[in-house]
Amino acid sequence: MIEPSLRQIRYFIAVANAGQVSRAAKDLNVSQSAVTAAIKQLEEIIGASLFERHSSGVTLTYEGNLFLEHAVHISAAVDEAVRLPTRMRDNVTGTLRLATTYTVAGYYAPPFVARFARNFPNIDIKMTETPRGEIEEGLVTGQFDLAVMLTSNIVNQEGIAYDTLLRSRRRLWLPAQHPLLMNPSISLQDVAEEPYIMLTVDEASNTAQRYWNRTRYRPRTIFRTSSVEAVRSMVANGMGVTVLSDMVYRPWSLDGRRVEVVALADQVPSMDVGLAWAADAELDEAARAFIDFMHLGMDGDEPARVMPQLRAKGEEIPATTSI
């Protein structure tokens, strides 16, 4: 049985991340033909199409989404195996009191925290999920050592030091076959004419209000919810649209319906994720080890860093090619 190569898997992840073959090739610093050939070989080995080809780019098929989940873990495991001999620190001990918010706990932090625990087995990690305001207070009072949180939401800019690790773009979510998908450009004015599903968790509605207030338009909100999955399901079933970050995007609802995503013509701020600590804190060895580990982790294709497939624009893919 022919097995996929690590190169094919990495090229597949790059295309899934970029949504375009040419952009993935540029990110990988290889030729576009090399990426196309690798994906074609991978599809032949698996026996299924991993991408749907469009004039504007590519999107993952159902099989492609299933394979992506495993591919990112394979890539991350290889990276960990290579780095483990120099990153294992049995002599680093202590307790790390780590706070996180709901969205970060659900869509970003777990792979990193799990790998840190394996690399630093003598550090006792005490993880707490709590709202942004309580995290900021807990960092200043010493209740928490570090936080993995939405750094774009931090209010106490003087008392909290932070380091942004990921900037996740916000885009428009639409149900499959929505008429707006035919538009060459979509603005917030267009969105304002559609029923809108508003996410409220982690101050998402407050953030949305800020960038909507820069325009003379307002979202026609028909439902407010703290559940990302509720938003995904309602959009997928044609009840409305929303604007959310790539980090929480998944192309399929729990009932198997498709959610499409497109960039907006208007400037919408990213959702930034990173580390935070008290500005005047003297970080101990465990906290410094976690900060260093997170920076090392962002050098590779980590599971939390690979964004699900987005609908991309601007690339022609001939019908005779494999991708």
Side-chain angles (χ1 to χ4, degrees), residues 16-60:
N17 228 3
Q20 294 180 328
V21 179
S22 60
R23 187 180 301 170
K26 183 178 181 180
D27 293 342
L28 293 164
N29 196 27
V30 299
S31 68
Q32 184 171 336
S33 60
V35 177
T36 298
I39 299 300
K40 180 179 179 181
Q41 294 163 2
L42 187 59
E43 290 181 320
E44 291 174 349
I45 293 171
I46 295 173
S49 296
L50 299 175
F51 293 100
E52 295 177 358
R53 284 77 178 173
H54 309 286
S55 60
S56 57
V58 296
T59 56
L60 286 167

Side-chain angles (χ1 to χ4, degrees), residues 113-277:
V113 176
R115 294 180 65 201
F116 178 78
R118 291 196 297 268
N119 280 269
F120 294 86
N122 292 324
I123 293 180
D124 181 20
I125 305 171
K126 297 187 181 301
M127 196 169 177
T128 302
E129 178 192 307
T130 193
R132 187 268 315 156
E134 294 181 17
I135 288 180
E136 292 191 28
E137 181 180 356
L139 290 173
V140 171
T141 61
Q143 180 184 356
F144 304 123
D145 301 309
L146 289 174
V148 186
M149 62 186 298
L150 302 182
T151 55
S152 50
N153 285 2
I154 291 176
V155 173
N156 186 359
Q157 297 284 328
E158 294 183 359
I160 303 295
Y162 61 91
D163 186 6
T164 295
L165 300 173
L166 172 69
R167 300 187 188 279
S168 181
R169 292 171 293 185
R170 287 185 170 93
R171 308 201 191 194
L172 176 65
W173 293 16
L174 308 123
Q177 311 302 321
H178 193 283
L180 283 179
L181 291 170
M182 303 300 295
N183 289 15
S185 177
I186 304 173
S187 67
L188 287 175
Q189 180 180 2
D190 298 318
V191 177
E193 298 175 1
E194 302 291 328
Y196 195 90
I197 313 299
M198 180 69 76
L199 182 68
T200 60
V201 72
D202 277 350
E203 303 170 293
S205 58
N206 295 341
T207 301
Q209 196 62 51
R210 286 197 295 271
Y211 62 76
W212 276 100
N213 283 343
R214 298 173 188 168
T215 75
R216 58 190 181 91
Y217 309 105
R218 295 295 179 269
R220 185 158 61 88
T221 303
I222 63 167
F223 188 71
R224 300 171 64 90
T225 176
S226 62
S227 169
V228 177
E229 292 307 320
V231 174
R232 195 187 327 278
S233 180
M234 295 179 77
V235 170
N237 281 278
M239 297 178 65
V241 303
T242 196
V243 177
L244 287 178
S245 79
D246 291 356
M247 192 180 79
V248 300
Y249 173 72
R250 301 293 182 272
W252 304 98
S253 66
L254 294 177
D255 59 349
R257 295 182 181 274
R258 179 86 184 185
V259 177
E260 302 289 351
V261 62
V262 295
L264 287 165
D266 303 86
Q267 185 175 2
V268 177
S270 61
M271 185 178 76
D272 301 342
V273 182
L275 299 166
W277 58 93

